Amino acid sequence: MQSVSTEAEVPLAVGRCVRTLNSSADTRELISALQTLSSLLADEPGSATNAGSSSAHHTRALQVLVGRINAEWVQKLTAAQRRDLWDGLFLRSPPEEALLVLTDGLGTLSPSAGRDHLVHILEEFLRSGGLDRMLWSYCQGKGPRDSPQFREALLGRLAGLPDLAANRLHPHNRDLFLPERYCALLATALLYALENTCQALRDGCDCSLVFVAQVLGKVCIHGNGALVFGVLAPRLSLCTRSDVVWQRVSWKLMENIPEGRLEPVVSGMVLALSRPAALSRVLGNLVLKNKKAEFLLTHKMLLLQYHYKTAVLRTILGYLAADRERRPLLIQVLKSVCVAWSSPTSVRNTPVEQQLYVSRVLLLSASLLRGEEITLLRSELLQCMLGGMQCHLDSGVVRLRRLGMVVGECLSSCLNLNGTKLTFEDEETEELRSLMTPQEEEESDPEPDDKINSCPEVTLPPQEAPSQTHPEPEKPAAEPDSDLDSDDDLAPYDMSCDQEVSQAMPPRYLRDCLDALMTSDDPGQVELSLRAAEGLVRKNISTTREVSVQMTKVLLHMEDKFSTLGFLSLRHTTMVALVVTDCIPVTKYLTTEFYSLNYSLRQRLDMLEVLAMSAQELSQPIRAGEAPTERATLVANVMSYPGDDPVHWRQIVEQRIQGKTRRISKGITRPPTKVTANRYAPVAGHFFFPLLQNYDRPQVTFDLLGSDHLVLGRLIHTMGLLVHLAVNAPVAPQMCRALLDFVWALRYHTDQMVRRGALFATCSVFLSMPSESLLLELSEQLSETRAWLADVAETDPDADCRSLAIQSLVLLEKSLKKQLEAP
Amino acid sequence: MMSRPSPTPIYTLRGAAAPLNTLHFSCWQGNQPLLFSGSGKGSIHVWNLDSRRAERVLDGHSGSSVIWVSTLQSTRALVSQGRDMRVCLWDLSEGRAEVSESLWTGSVGFCQCSSLETGQGTWLLACPGEQTEEIKIIALPSKTLVCSLLPKAKLGMVMCLKLWQVGPIFSDMISHRVLTKCHLSKLSITLHPPSPLSLSLFSPPPLLQSTQPDTGPGPLLLAGYEDGSLLLWDVSQRSTLSRSTSTCPEPLMCLAFDPQRLKGVSGSSDKNLQPWVLDENKNLQLKDPVTLVNPGISQLCIRGDGKLLASAGWDHRVRVFGWKKLRPLAVLQHHADMVLGVAFSDHQDPRQRLLAAGSKDQRISLWSIYNEGTDTG
């Protein structure tokens, strides 16, 4: 066709072509229309004067093309025609238009050959650097003067392309549209734009980073931040290291991120950069200029979101500490962390993990303080340390108490106080303590993309053979008479019996043993008596019955005067032996003493522990051969309370579930198990009910429902255990009922140990309660209990409580189902 | 590899009715192997190892504890030392049982004497003297006092002694390592115990030549003291040759010395067994100690073939070590009280060799250990 010379005629000519394309069926006419169109539009991008109108007819033309893509004549085009005329129209038109129209088409077209063609064009568009061109044109300010709606749509398409492609093309999605590939492509496009910007700035041209920043923000808010920053951040860190222009560009980029999208961008950047110095270079003083960034970096990431790794915390705090202008923020962080750490409510109501996280922040920021700052903050730190330690030590959770002590220790050493020196060999505390030693800040740090950090090979010195058995290691055979001088021809005998000997003799009679325990001041004698006591108790049953209560009293009040090895376990096993041998009087004694005056917490806990251990031993059937070893493992099992080790109840539950699972096995049939009487069932009541009698009667030295919640937690746990062990006993339903009533009062106790105990008790109630009497006995409580459990499972801050509640619910459902299905 | 179970005694000798302080075998010659034991009640039992009965009971120390018994190879005479401050020489030949000689030492301590035969019928006795640190060297049978050795420094009581003679071969400071095994075995027989053949080599007795020290080596004396130090005396010079710096503050309870390897070991009331060597300049050099499980060693004894070392422990156990490297080999557990003395027998046939242990529980246990497949070495 004829060429169009004046610009005013362009829209008319385009309109004519478009009409032809829309309506005509004549292939030749159509091809010539296409040719005209491409020659018309090819000239356009150069003339930026009327960009708005040109984009309008570009859009129209491209939309028509996409609309006709399935038309018959399109398929008839030769490959060359198609590439030049059809695809070329897309690739040569302004990239933002092409992208919008193509993604529109992708969204609307149903699977067809035409759509495959469209996908192909889109791939070609991305491969040929469409994104690079688009971003750079926006940087130069050559982009179309667009409306906010258009900009938002474009950003949406840019960021959402992987999702769109995945949704529409599944299962024929292309590799290029996968998030990993696409984000890498986008990141290189961003880098290309930034690099060009730097170059332009050096050449004295102005550029705008608004669009690039918007794209970055949009991608991050779509959740692909990590992928983009994986490519972007190392490069940025490397470029900004020596180049001031790059630094300025990077700061400008961060400042231009829209307010609403700042958070994912900044947190993504923090995660992707592992060094405070790199973060400093990339972010600049963003934290001072932008309130949102300040909130994020000084509060949200440090105090509220407690899932970041320690390295991230190091990066953030190091960033805050690195610059003189930012240091006031570090002080501010330290102050607010101090408040959070030492607040009793937060200690009580936040999960342990968050406590640990806050402690990390506290120690890290304290370690970054300088001498003069420490003197300024001294009183505040001291107050935080003392108050915080107190409320941590008040807690019933072992981990929290330990946390309090270690943090206190570290802080006191930081303050140069001559405070308590505590040492723990815990893995966690080791980690915490290491936070106080500042990370060596080598500026020549190998950047991730430079090379892989090769760890130096550590060669351990060869372990020396223990000198006890081989006093002189064999010399090399170089000596002329080494064969003469060796003792090798003499094979040693077994020397395992060569043990330390003690001087005194163990007592042979129970009364002697008791006397020694009561009066002896000789450490050796006391130790031997303690060691012999359990055996004597178990062997001499009739004598034991005579002295059982007296001996229990002696053992209960015994103190570890000589730091005897294994004192606690020896004492416990002996007391257990006493309970087992002479059950009713000793349990009566222990259960009444539990509520009487003038016992220490330790003694009360001991009583509970002994009761639980003996109940466990009694409930085990006696088998001639394996009794002793089995008992040892049992002791180990009962020793741990759920607060110390939540695995324990799980094991029990697991065993119960295993026990209830019916397996159809092919192997040899086992011999029928020998039936033995359960020794615990007749006496279970003696263990259980006296403990329930007096719990609400506060005494001068013992206030179970008040401050002594540690004992309360253990009490309720012990009772749960007692009920669990009483499974199948006739008295079990009564016990369950009583325990559930007791638990009801403690449902929402403030201490998590008590709550755990209550939930454990509920678990064991549902395990022990025969399903036929469940509805009969507990009908009115069941719905309330279920509501409570569901509530706990959702809202409790303690993870163990939540999982225990879920476990209870599952057990309850199972039991109910069994009952309802029963004929 | 499973190690062999701990050995058991082949038999025990009972009936001494008192703690057994010291043991001595006499199986080298004669038709009957004998074991002498000295008890805490002053009697010396002569045990026949064939009948395993006490053949005779000698009572010459008027009820005072006997702390040392030994025999002289040349005259077959029995020497005993008691806490009545006397050393007695017994004539046991032809069924007699009488004290032929008696010597007053004046020592109130527990230190055992040490004897060294210098010729046919002549011998030297080293015994603790009246003063706490004094050692007397007495020539017998003339009973003349050769010298009295007093250390310059304050070392406390003498605790243990070992008198020995540097052989002519070692006097040249030729290390025995140069010698072949066959040489060594021949030589060791000629040296220990001295046979009439070797006597010609040793004569004239070196003591009388104390004015001419160059002509021959004099007898040397190892002595352990209360403060834990160990001294090497040159008897003919009456001077200290070497003193080991005391590594342990505990008194040295006992020592054993192997004159062939110039190597010894000492035990004390703590857990350590302290080996040492005598270097070419006659300096005592301490080696790394071996730590035992329980503290207290009352006596140490090296087997004649230089393969085993036995220790009598306060923990009722006898420990057996390989002598060369002090590798622990066995722990002999039988006694119900402190083991006070150990001795290896001097049987000519190495397969018959025995280890005897005497204990405070009034019994002697006899063990046959590491006798299988050994040559005369």
Side-chain angles (χ1 to χ4, degrees), chain A residues 460-512:
Chain A
L460 289 169
Q463 288 248 307
E464 275 185 43
S467 57
Q468 181 86 32
T469 46
H470 301 282
E472 292 173 20
E474 270 73 29
K475 283 176 189 160
E479 268 184 65
D481 56 348
S482 59
D483 58 333
L484 257 179
D485 263 8
S486 79
D487 297 327
D488 281 349
D489 53 332
L490 306 171
Y493 287 91
D494 176 31
M495 284 179 285
S496 55
C497 58
D498 194 13
Q499 305 287 333
E500 299 258 1
V501 289
S502 57
Q503 298 300 314
M505 291 289 290
R508 298 236 165 95
Y509 298 97
L510 190 60
R511 282 177 202 277
D512 289 350

Side-chain angles (χ1 to χ4, degrees), chain A residues 471 490-491 493-494 498-499, chain B residues 4 317 319 326-327 329 370:
Chain A
L490 306 171
Y493 287 91
D494 176 31
D498 194 13
Q499 305 287 333
Chain B
R4 293 180 287 174
R317 289 165 202 167
R319 289 190 169 72
L326 284 186
R327 183 160 71 117
L329 294 175
Y370 293 112

Side-chain angles (χ1 to χ4, degrees), chain A residues 578-764:
Chain A
L578 282 165
V579 177
V580 169
T581 321
D582 193 19
C583 190
I584 296 176
V586 182
T587 44
K588 195 174 165 215
Y589 173 75
L590 285 176
T591 47
T592 36
E593 290 305 294
F594 180 75
Y595 285 111
S596 62
L597 280 170
N598 295 334
Y599 278 101
S600 67
L601 289 185
R602 178 74 248 170
Q603 281 166 324
R604 290 185 211 271
L605 295 179
D606 285 343
M607 293 180 217
L608 291 176
E609 216 160 293
V610 166
L611 284 174
M613 278 159 78
S614 354
Q616 182 139 18
E617 184 180 335
L618 282 173
S619 67
Q620 299 291 323
I622 312 169
R623 274 182 229 106
E626 31 187 303
T629 52
E630 197 176 32
R631 214 165 36 73
T633 57
L634 280 180
V635 168
N637 273 348
V638 186
M639 290 292 282
S640 61
Y641 276 80
D644 302 341
D645 182 12
V647 180
H648 174 59
W649 65 266
R650 274 199 195 99
Q651 282 172 348
I652 292 183
V653 169
E654 201 63 33
Q655 278 163 11
R656 297 288 305 161
I657 291 170
Q658 287 297 319
K660 291 200 170 143
T661 316
R662 189 169 294 175
R663 290 177 196 279
I664 303 163
S665 59
K666 283 183 183 171
I668 33 161
T669 51
R670 290 184 210 132
T673 46
K674 223 183 253 176
V675 180
T676 47
N678 186 344
R679 291 180 295 158
Y680 176 62
V683 293
H686 291 279
F687 280 81
F688 182 79
F689 291 111
L691 283 179
L692 269 183
Q693 270 169 2
N694 295 321
Y695 70 90
D696 51 353
R697 219 168 294 164
Q699 285 178 343
V700 187
T701 54
F702 185 47
D703 183 9
L704 203 52
L705 294 186
S707 58
D708 288 324
H709 39 69
L710 181 68
V711 183
L712 183 62
R714 296 242 169 161
L715 170 70
I716 193 164
H717 173 262
T718 307
M719 298 218 282
L721 207 60
L722 292 176
V723 165
H724 173 69
L725 292 169
V727 65
N728 298 333
V731 74
Q734 275 170 277
M735 285 167 77
C736 289
R737 207 188 149 87
L739 184 58
L740 212 56
D741 282 342
F742 179 46
V743 163
W744 191 246
L746 305 170
R747 281 170 310 161
Y748 291 111
H749 198 277
T750 47
D751 190 81
Q752 47 190 330
M753 279 292 293
V754 178
R755 288 202 306 273
R756 272 187 215 173
L759 288 160
F760 174 80
T762 317
C763 260
S764 62

Side-chain angles (χ1 to χ4, degrees), chain B residues 236-358:
Chain B
S236 44
Q237 302 281 336
R238 292 167 201 181
S239 63
T240 316
L241 289 175
S242 166
R243 176 183 167 188
S244 79
T245 46
S246 55
T247 48
C248 65
E250 299 293 328
L252 221 60
M253 297 303 294
C254 50
L255 63 86
F257 183 69
D258 182 355
Q260 293 171 38
R261 292 177 182 80
L262 297 178
K263 177 178 152 188
V265 64
S266 52
S268 68
S269 56
D270 66 6
K271 282 188 177 178
N272 285 335
L273 202 58
Q274 176 66 62
W276 30 267
V277 292
L278 208 57
D279 68 6
E280 303 180 352
N281 301 320
K282 292 187 179 159
N283 281 323
L284 288 167
Q285 287 182 343
L286 297 181
K287 299 284 178 188
D288 289 338
V290 178
T291 307
L292 308 180
V293 177
N294 290 304
I297 302 164
S298 19
Q299 211 180 7
L300 289 162
C301 185
I302 301 166
R303 195 160 78 173
D305 62 356
K307 286 201 165 179
L308 295 182
L309 168 77
S311 75
W314 294 1
D315 60 347
H316 319 171
R317 289 165 202 167
V318 175
R319 289 190 169 72
V320 179
F321 300 86
W323 172 231
K324 283 148 190 161
K325 308 260 183 214
L326 284 186
R327 183 160 71 117
L329 294 175
V331 176
L332 310 181
Q333 214 165 358
H334 169 75
H335 289 288
D337 211 331
M338 279 166 82
V339 184
L340 298 173
V342 281
F344 280 108
S345 76
D346 49 353
H347 280 96
Q348 273 175 316
D349 181 0
R351 277 169 300 178
Q352 292 180 335
R353 278 179 310 207
L354 294 173
L355 165 67

Side-chain angles (χ1 to χ4, degrees), chain A residues 51 348 368 483 632 792:
Chain A
R348 218 176 300 130
L368 288 168
D483 58 333
V792 170

Side-chain angles (χ1 to χ4, degrees), chain A residues 258-274:
Chain A
E259 197 78 344
R261 292 161 193 176
L262 194 64
E263 182 182 335
V265 176
V266 172
S267 58
M269 195 62 102
V270 169
L271 289 176
L273 292 170
S274 57

